[in-house]
């Protein structure tokens, strides 16, 4: 089972700096959910991550600045090895940066312990992976209800949330099925339900259709678009241009850096800032 299903109590340590990038103090008691309406939901400044490797270090993320507004659907595209997934894992606390700072809803996340990050993910960050990461010996119902129970929901509320999501995702009647009895597309829909059951402020999706056929890919795109229309903030890593086209903002990532940042919804082209502009469409996003 992943660390997100860990039931450890939060540690009593505190971040090194609880002030937002604009100098205002973060909302008291924030655990990563959306409570500050006057600033970006996610703000990264100078994020850097280097992986050790034989011969030479791999600079996966290099001094990245990034803001994600509430309600945005952001696709991060680029070739394999560009550092896209590492960036997503840094935003979700699954990896720790070597440098830089990260704020979620105005709260500085620097210095959080693993247990505090796990609690933050349960309450405010939903994560969907390419290979589903379902608990194989639990039923569909239990896979979806478990995060809600760990976050403090009553069994009744967890069941109700699960019923609503299964109906929404076209999985009625699959409650007692085991993951191995489902198709790949069905397993990914269960993973999506699990990530959304606690109504997270942000959904992080790492190649959510990377293991699916074209039909499953279309279904995932449709479902993500539906939840986005209802206000869900989404950051999705993908190498597939079809997936990226569903977003309203596309970030091109190459060699650990943002090389282009295009706001498709506004039709305004590339955003200013720390992007190596002028290369939209250069990266090979796949067929």
């Amino acid at each position: 089972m992943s660390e997100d299903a860990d039931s450890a109590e939060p540690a009593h340590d505190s971040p090194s700096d609880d002030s937002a990038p604009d100098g205002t103090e973060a909302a008291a008691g924030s655990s990563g959910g959306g409570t500050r309406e006057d600033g970006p939901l996610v703000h990264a400044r100078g994020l850097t991550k280097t992986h050790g490797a034989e011969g030479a270090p791999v600079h996966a993320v290099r001094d990245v600045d990034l803001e994600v507004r509430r309600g945005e659907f952001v696709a991060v595209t680029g070739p394999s090895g560009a550092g896209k997934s590492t960036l997503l894992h840094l935003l979700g606390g699954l990896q720790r940066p070597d440098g830089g700072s990260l704020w979620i809803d105005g709260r500085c996340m620097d210095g959080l312990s693993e247990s505090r990050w796990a609690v933050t993910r349960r309450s405010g960050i939903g994560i969907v992976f390419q290979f589903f990461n379902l608990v194989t010996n639990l039923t569909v119902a239990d896979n979806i209800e478990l995060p809600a129970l760990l976050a403090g929901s009553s069994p009744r509320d967890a069941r109700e949330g699960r019923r609503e999501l299964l109906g929404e995702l076209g999985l009625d009647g699959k409650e007692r099925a085991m993951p191995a009895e489902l198709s790949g597309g069905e397993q990914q829909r269960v993973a999506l339900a699990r990530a959304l059951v606690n109504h997270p402020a942000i959904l992080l999706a790492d190649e959510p259709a990377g293991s699916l056929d074209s039909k499953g890919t279309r279904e995932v795109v449709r479902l993500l678009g539906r939840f986005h229309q209802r206000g869900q903030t989404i950051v999705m890593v993908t190498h597939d241009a079809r997936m990226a086209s569903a977003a309203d903002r596309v970030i091109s990532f190459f060699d650990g850096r943002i090389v282009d940042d295009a706001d498709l919804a506004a039709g305004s082209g590339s955003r200013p800032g720390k992007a190596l502009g002028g290369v939209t469409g250069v990266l090979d996003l796949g067929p």
Side-chain angles (χ1 to χ4, degrees), residues 144 162 165-166 169 171 188-198:
I144 298 171
R162 179 257 298 168
L165 282 166
L166 286 179
L169 298 173
L171 291 170
Q188 192 60 293
R189 278 182 275 163
V190 173
L192 185 58
R194 182 183 60 181
L196 292 171
V197 70
N198 287 329

Side-chain angles (χ1 to χ4, degrees), residues 227-287:
F227 284 104
H228 171 237
Q229 289 174 359
R230 298 176 185 174
Q232 179 66 56
T233 306
I234 302 171
V235 177
M236 175 183 66
V237 160
T238 183
H239 68 278
D240 191 329
R242 295 166 297 182
M243 294 287 293
S245 67
D248 48 29
R249 178 180 167 198
V250 177
I251 291 173
S252 297
F253 210 69
F254 183 75
D255 198 22
R257 296 185 175 95
I258 294 174
V259 295
D260 199 29
D261 189 344
D263 193 338
L264 305 184
S268 57
S270 298
R271 294 184 178 210
K274 206 170 185 179
L276 311 180
V279 293
T280 301
V282 170
L283 299 182
D284 179 14
L285 304 182

